Amino acid sequence: MGFLRVIRKWALRDKMPIREIARRTGVSRNTIKKYLRAGIVEPEFQRPDRPSKLDPYAEKLTAWLLSEQRKTRKERRTAKQ
C-alpha cells in the first residue's frame, strides 16, 4: 500500500489525529497536513502484460508437478533434482 494512501486512510477513515500519524510515520505534522490538504493520491502505473520466460514450458511443468504430486514422499524429486 502506498505511503500517501496510508496517511489518508488513517486520517479520513480511522479518524486518527495528525500528531499520531506523524509519530507513526516519522514525518512532520506540517508535511502530513500538506498531503491531506492537497488531496493527492499516489499514481498507479499500468504495467504491460509481459510474457513469462516459462510460458513455452508451462504445460510440461504442470504435467510434471501433477505426476510428482501423485507419488509418495520418498519417490518425489527434491529441489536439487
Side-chain angles (χ1 to χ4, degrees), residues 41-57:
V41 180
E42 289 176 329
E44 293 185 13
F45 299 103
Q46 296 290 330
R47 294 184 187 151
D49 291 333
R50 294 187 183 112
S52 171
K53 290 184 179 183
L54 296 177
D55 281 347
Y57 311 104

Side-chain angles (χ1 to χ4, degrees), residues 4-13 35-36 39-41:
L4 297 178
R5 184 181 288 172
V6 170
I7 290 174
R8 291 179 59 77
K9 182 184 83 155
W10 284 344
L12 302 176
R13 191 179 78 188
Y35 288 157
L36 293 175
I40 56 174
V41 180

Side-chain angles (χ1 to χ4, degrees), residues 1-66:
M1 196 180 288
F3 182 69
L4 297 178
R5 184 181 288 172
V6 170
I7 290 174
R8 291 179 59 77
K9 182 184 83 155
W10 284 344
L12 302 176
R13 191 179 78 188
D14 298 341
K15 305 291 187 205
M16 189 180 296
I18 291 175
R19 185 172 291 214
E20 177 66 19
I21 297 170
R23 189 182 66 74
R24 287 188 183 188
T25 59
V27 179
S28 73
R29 294 184 316 225
N30 294 336
T31 306
I32 292 174
K33 287 179 189 176
K34 180 179 72 173
Y35 288 157
L36 293 175
R37 249 186 280 128
I40 56 174
V41 180
E42 289 176 329
E44 293 185 13
F45 299 103
Q46 296 290 330
R47 294 184 187 151
D49 291 333
R50 294 187 183 112
S52 171
K53 290 184 179 183
L54 296 177
D55 281 347
Y57 311 104
E59 292 178 18
K60 192 173 194 178
L61 290 172
T62 53
W64 280 352
L65 288 172
L66 287 174

